[in-house]
Amino acid sequence: MLTADITAQPNTTTGGGRRWMYPVVRKGKLYRYRSLLSYIYLVLFFAGPFISISGHPLLLLNVLERRFVILGQVFWPQDFFLFVLAMLAGLVCIILFTIAFGRLFCGWICPQTIFMEMVFRKIEIWIEGDAKKRRKLDEGPLNSEKLVKKSLKHAIFIVSSFLIANTFLAYIIGKDALIKIITEPVAMHWSGFVSICVFAVVFYLVYSQIREIVCTVICPYGRLQGVLIDKSTLVVAYNFLRGEPRGKISKKQDQTQKGDCVDCGLCVDVCPTGIDIRKGTQPECINCTACIDACNQVMDKINKPLNLIGFYSEESIAQKEQPKFNRRMVAYSAVIVVLLGVLTSFVLKRSAVDVTILRSAGMLYQEQPGGYISNIYNAELINKTNTSQQITLVTDDTDIKVKYIQAPGTLKAESEGKAVFFLMIPADKIKNAKTDIKIKVMRGNETLSTISTAFIGPIYGSD
């Protein structure tokens, strides 16, 4: 008879105190896939600040200086529309992904789950042992063994949190600034040092104390799932039609009247949030698939078909169908791909130099020698590249002259510049009080962008 002690309990409080989770680890096929994905994620996370693309960091979110770099592409405040577009696309992707696949992101990709289950949980198991030993240690008296193990575990937790905090800060201020904070005297970088300490404390508390409460209570995405999933959503679910009525294996009883579930409790044992998946889809389920691995191991031992717990929708269970990538999921996935494609095209079409040209406010036209009428303009230029750019402004019409008061000249890498200039048009060429002018932003013989602006003047040369 297969049995298991139910060590994982629902995350509730008893007697005013919190009930801790002691999930059992079952290393099945899906667990190995999750581990591989987690290792790739962790390598990219810690190596990310030191990876450069075309001289730019892989990812930089410098909120203080309003400078953002994503996959080597530099984004400035003038690119705010791209940020809005990315947020809208991201929101739609989250909604569509959740409608189609439930909370799969939480169990497989979310940094909270990856660090908790694949880093801190493994450290805890390595030092304190399996679920039964950890629970026994926590409930036992404070002796030398407990003091040594707890001290060692929390010391490693603190060091790990400190490393994560340093890496996290590098994504905000850049690796060069972080290296200065580490190598130079603390007195020179008090704000940076305090930031690292604050982040380290937060990470330590999250992974040593708060833990699964982040997923079950704090995270808004978990609550959003409850209003997005429906009977067609593919989630980790228990096939109750096949499993019920459940019962333990016994030679003294007729097994033909029982379902495939042997009521071993392993699916509860392994759950990091302490739920019983057999009670149906629950907001606390993060789709980590630990219960699938545990149940499949049991089914394999008793020679029953696998995936009593698996990826199912309510419809697929009711209709006794195998889960499949249906048209609905294809449509949602296609929309996600289109949104990301549109966003990518906007990013790739961005100009290397962003130029904003405005006619000077409150200034009328001026009459110039030689029969010209002029307007004065101000230009704001931003070099988004990591190389210097020699910029000139020209017009399509050879009759229109550009006379600089302050030329744009050479823009240094990732810097801003200004230009002040006159647009001069022969008086007899002006047909309307307001004329649209096209100004080209040139880098050598290359046209980076074309900007439209208005020219105000008297009406000459009309019939």
Side-chain angles (χ1 to χ4, degrees):
M1 181 171 63
L2 292 170
T3 62
D5 293 331
I6 308 301
T7 56
Q9 300 291 336
N11 188 27
T12 58
T13 57
T14 56
R18 175 184 170 188
R19 181 171 292 170
W20 283 81
M21 300 292 104
Y22 300 94
V24 175
V25 174
R26 287 291 183 268
K27 298 182 179 180
K29 179 176 68 174
L30 294 175
Y31 181 86
R32 290 191 290 271
Y33 289 156
R34 286 177 62 208
S35 296
L36 177 60
L37 181 63
S38 299
Y39 298 147
I40 295 173
Y41 175 92
L42 291 171
V43 169
L44 291 176
F45 174 78
F46 287 107
F50 305 96
I51 298 176
S52 297
I53 300 177
S54 301
H56 294 297
L58 179 68
L59 179 65
L60 180 68
L61 305 175
N62 194 332
V63 179
L64 300 177
E65 297 180 0
R66 298 183 301 170
R67 180 172 176 266
F68 305 91
V69 182
I70 302 175
L71 299 178
Q73 293 284 329
V74 181
F75 296 89
W76 295 77
Q78 288 76 9
D79 297 315
F80 184 74
F81 79 98
L82 289 175
F83 175 79
V84 173
L85 181 62
M87 291 298 100
L88 291 175
L91 179 61
V92 173
C93 287
I94 288 173
I95 293 174
L96 295 182
F97 187 86
T98 304
I99 291 174
F101 305 106
R103 208 173 170 181
L104 189 63
F105 170 86
C106 298
W108 284 69
I109 306 174
C110 177
Q112 162 67 18
T113 302
I114 289 178
F115 280 110
M116 183 68 250
E117 300 302 326
M118 297 300 171
V119 177
F120 289 88
R121 187 83 73 191
K122 289 186 175 183
I123 293 172
E124 190 171 62
I125 294 173
W126 173 59
I127 296 174
E128 298 182 356
D130 60 24
K132 289 183 178 180
K133 291 180 180 179
R134 297 198 304 274
R135 185 170 188 173
K136 182 179 179 181
L137 186 68
D138 284 349
E139 295 176 350
L142 181 60
N143 51 28
S144 58
E145 178 189 9
K146 184 173 183 178
L147 182 61
V148 169
K149 288 185 176 181
K150 291 294 183 182
S151 299
L152 178 60
K153 182 185 80 170
H154 286 281
I156 296 178
F157 276 12
I158 291 172
V159 172
S160 300
S161 300
F162 184 76
L163 292 175
I164 295 172
N166 277 268
T167 307
F168 181 77
L169 188 61
Y171 283 106
I172 299 177
I173 64 176
K175 64 179 178 65
D176 294 333
L178 178 67
I179 292 173
K180 289 182 178 180
I181 295 173
I182 296 173
T183 58
E184 295 179 355
V186 174
M188 297 176 62
H189 304 282
W190 273 113
S191 59
F193 177 74
V194 171
S195 298
I196 292 175
C197 292
V198 170
F199 286 139
V201 170
V202 170
F203 288 129
Y204 169 74
L205 291 176
V206 166
Y207 296 118
S208 68
Q209 304 298 321
I210 303 176
R211 298 194 162 197
E212 73 283 345
I213 293 178
V214 172
C215 303
T216 59
V217 178
I218 299 175
C219 179
Y221 179 53
R223 299 304 170 192
L224 180 66
Q225 174 195 350
V227 299
L228 291 179
I229 64 174
D230 57 26
K231 61 182 180 180
S232 300
T233 303
L234 197 64
V235 296
V236 174
Y238 167 67
N239 189 340
F240 59 89
L241 293 180
R242 174 186 154 193
E244 300 296 324
R246 73 185 74 153
K248 299 185 184 299
I249 296 177
S250 174
K251 295 180 179 180
K252 299 179 181 179
Q253 297 179 356
D254 183 10
Q255 302 297 311
T256 59
Q257 301 300 318
K258 293 182 179 180
D260 286 352
C261 178
V262 297
D263 202 20
C264 66
L266 275 173
C267 56
V268 185
D269 253 2
V270 300
C271 181
T273 59
I275 68 168
D276 187 342
I277 194 66
R278 296 171 296 180
K279 294 181 179 179
T281 302
Q282 300 159 63
E284 293 82 7
C285 178
I286 60 172
N287 285 9
C288 66
T289 66
C291 54
I292 297 179
D293 277 335
C295 188
N296 280 345
Q297 290 177 3
V298 174
M299 293 297 104
D300 187 56
K301 289 181 180 179
I302 63 175
N303 296 317
K304 295 285 187 178
L306 301 180
N307 296 325
L308 175 60
I309 300 175
F311 284 103
Y312 297 106
S313 66
E314 183 181 332
E315 284 182 342
S316 67
I317 294 176
Q319 298 171 7
K320 298 182 180 180
E321 296 178 349
Q322 289 297 317
K324 57 186 179 181
F325 201 74
N326 54 34
R327 293 180 180 177
R328 177 173 177 267
M329 295 177 183
V330 172
Y332 287 146
S333 300
V335 172
I336 292 173
V337 170
V338 170
L339 286 172
L340 294 178
V342 171
L343 179 61
T344 302
S345 67
F346 273 110
V347 171
L348 294 178
K349 290 179 180 178
R350 288 190 319 140
S351 174
V353 178
D354 188 74
V355 180
T356 302
I357 298 176
L358 296 173
R359 199 174 65 85
S360 293
M363 296 289 291
L364 298 177
Y365 61 87
Q366 300 88 34
E367 294 184 357
Q368 300 286 355
Y372 284 91
I373 302 298
S374 68
N375 282 189
I376 189 170
Y377 295 83
N378 295 297
E380 300 284 342
L381 303 94
I382 299 178
N383 181 7
K384 300 176 181 178
T385 69
N386 61 342
T387 57
S388 297
Q389 304 286 336
Q390 181 71 34
I391 302 299
T392 56
L393 303 174
V394 299
T395 63
D396 285 334
D397 192 338
T398 56
D399 291 330
I400 301 176
K401 295 182 179 180
V402 178
K403 181 180 179 181
Y404 290 113
I405 299 174
Q406 178 182 343
T410 301
L411 290 177
K412 295 182 179 179
E414 299 180 24
S415 66
E416 299 182 28
K418 294 182 178 181
V420 182
F421 60 94
F422 286 108
L423 283 183
M424 302 173 61
I425 304 179
D428 57 358
K429 296 290 185 179
I430 299 175
K431 306 298 182 181
N432 300 291
K434 183 178 179 181
T435 305
D436 290 331
I437 305 296
K438 301 288 187 181
I439 300 177
K440 291 183 178 180
V441 180
M442 305 291 294
R443 179 177 58 191
N445 295 323
E446 179 185 359
T447 301
L448 299 179
S449 62
T450 302
I451 301 171
S452 296
T453 189
F455 185 93
I456 306 297
I459 303 176
Y460 292 103
S462 59
D463 294 333

